[in-house]
Amino acid sequence: METTSSSRVRAQTAEAPAAAAEPPQTAPATPQPQEAAAPVPAARRAVEGYLLADFPWYGLDGAFTGPRWLMQVGTGADGAVEHGSTGHGDEPSARGEIATGEKERFAVVVTVASNPLRRSSDGTGVLEATSVSSAAWLAGSGLLAYSWPGQMDHSLRDDWLDQQTEAAWELADALDGEDWSTLSLPVDGEPTPFHYRESEFGWVLAGSTRGGVHLGAYGRGMSAYGLGFSVIGDLAAYE
């Protein structure tokens, strides 16, 4: 399967907003700089990574009116941004409804830069091209990161996650196999074919856009059949 050197990384959760510092009980002996007392919000730190990308970011289109939030970007060995995710709906947790009793409803869109076969920044090797399979694997492993099988002990989950992540890799490498079906969804208003599959933990899909990027998506509690994707015009909508 073709993928970037940094594509096989476990999906990471959105960074929680920085908590406001409690006022000190006594004044410090030496005045502190104002910048040190006011840390940059997590959302602001996150958006800076997205702004470094040289490709467009995608999210759900305007038909979705719920909450939107940034997650994290992935970079290559040369520091260039290669992929990242945007969230929609409820911010998921690994234990989800097992811990809260409430069913989460979310959809995460993964944008992967379309990179041809190219040399590494230090000139010592060749980086593999990204493909739809890259987006499929990032989406599949992302869904697993927010999944926790019922009755599973905490100490066993890491082993389970490793096994299932490897299975997600194998599935992403066989998009024409019987585990996948085809689903047509609008991307920037144009019908676009996607590879699609469901599991007990949610759904995963992957395809390519005319804008030169590959798209992956995963979710739970929200039907994939009614979704549409579009370029994000203003990242402030996700802060």
Side-chain angles (χ1 to χ4, degrees), residues 12-193:
Q12 302 182 40
T13 59
E15 188 175 7
E22 296 184 0
Q25 299 300 315
T26 58
T30 303
Q32 298 296 312
Q34 184 176 2
E35 290 77 12
V40 178
R44 181 68 56 80
R45 294 198 301 270
V47 76
E48 289 175 352
Y50 289 81
L51 294 174
L52 294 174
D54 60 0
F55 54 89
W57 293 105
Y58 275 78
L60 296 187
D61 61 20
F64 177 78
T65 58
R68 297 170 182 255
W69 30 276
L70 294 176
M71 299 181 74
Q72 288 185 337
V73 300
T75 59
D78 58 358
V81 176
E82 295 187 336
H83 60 83
S85 303
T86 55
H88 309 77
D90 302 326
E91 294 196 38
S93 62
R95 295 192 71 104
E97 61 185 291
I98 294 177
T100 65
E102 298 181 0
K103 191 168 186 177
E104 297 169 335
R105 300 181 67 255
F106 68 89
V108 173
V109 179
V110 183
T111 306
V112 182
S114 180
N115 290 323
L117 196 69
R118 66 205 191 283
R119 287 208 156 276
S120 59
S121 58
D122 60 7
T124 60
V126 175
L127 302 179
E128 294 183 15
T130 55
S131 67
V132 178
S133 291
S134 307
W137 186 82
L138 286 168
S141 59
L143 178 62
L144 289 170
Y146 293 116
S147 302
W148 195 305
Q151 309 302 317
M152 176 168 284
D153 183 81
H154 184 279
S155 62
L156 299 176
R157 184 173 182 270
D158 285 345
D159 290 338
W160 173 86
L161 190 57
D162 288 342
Q163 293 171 359
Q164 294 302 311
T165 300
E166 186 63 31
W169 174 261
E170 293 174 358
L171 284 168
D173 202 25
L175 293 177
D176 293 328
E178 60 182 12
D179 293 295
W180 297 88
S181 60
T182 301
L183 179 62
S184 179
L185 296 172
V187 176
D188 294 324
E190 296 289 331
T192 303

